[in-house]
Amino acid sequence: EVQLVESGGGLVQPGGSLRLSCAASGFTFSIYAMSWVRQAPGKGLEWVSAINRDGGSTVYADSVKGRFTISRDNAKNTLYLRLDSLKTEDTAIYYCAKHKVPFRVVSKDLNEYERWGQGTQVTVSS
C-alpha cells in the first residue's frame, strides 16, 4: 500500500522558514518523480514544486521560485521542501505526491501526480 506521510508544518511569522518532510513507503521511491502541492483555505489544489528521480532536476511554480527548495533522499525514501521567506499567502495544507508513472521526467502538470498523504498545515501569520 502506497503511503506518504507529511510532517514539519506549523505556525510561523512572515519571513520565517520551515522544512517539510514526506516519508514514503509501499512503492519504489527512487523510480518516481515527486511533487509538492498545496491547498489554501477555500481554494483548489495548486502545484508547488517537483523533482526528478535522482534529484538532479527541479522545477517550481513562479509564486515560490527563489523561496522554496525541493530535495529528496532516496536512501531514506524521503522528500523534503524547505520554505524560506514565507508570506501569508503561503498558508495552506501541503501535500506530497508521486508521479502516476515510474521513470517519467519531472513535470509541472498537477494531473500527472497523485496525492496520497493527509498533508501538513502551514500557517503564516503575525
Side-chain angles (χ1 to χ4, degrees):
E1 179 187 1
V2 173
Q3 287 195 342
L4 297 173
V5 180
E6 301 91 343
S7 62
L11 173 63
V12 63
Q13 293 185 340
S17 298
L18 285 172
R19 188 197 195 200
L20 308 183
S21 298
C22 170
S25 62
F27 65 103
T28 306
F29 181 74
S30 62
I31 65 173
Y32 285 89
M34 298 292 294
S35 182
W36 286 96
V37 301
R38 67 185 181 185
Q39 187 164 27
K43 296 187 178 180
L45 282 173
E46 176 189 11
W47 175 83
V48 174
S49 181
I51 188 168
N52 73 336
R53 301 190 310 272
D54 65 6
S57 179
T58 58
V59 289
Y60 299 91
D62 289 343
S63 59
V64 307
K65 194 175 297 181
R67 300 188 298 118
F68 291 7
T69 305
I70 190 171
S71 61
R72 65 190 295 163
D73 185 336
N74 286 344
K76 296 182 178 179
N77 288 348
T78 302
L79 178 72
Y80 303 99
L81 186 68
R82 170 79 181 185
L83 292 68
D84 292 311
S85 303
L86 281 161
K87 304 176 181 180
T88 55
E89 53 262 44
D90 295 318
T91 295
I93 300 174
Y94 285 71
Y95 303 92
C96 64
K98 63 179 282 292
H99 201 287
K100 292 179 180 177
V101 183
F103 302 109
R104 289 296 178 91
V105 298
V106 65
S107 169
K108 295 183 177 183
D109 186 349
L110 180 61
N111 294 317
E112 294 190 13
Y113 297 91
E114 48 196 5
R115 173 172 55 92
W116 294 87
Q118 295 300 309
T120 186
Q121 176 71 50
V122 171
T123 302
V124 185
S125 176
S126 55

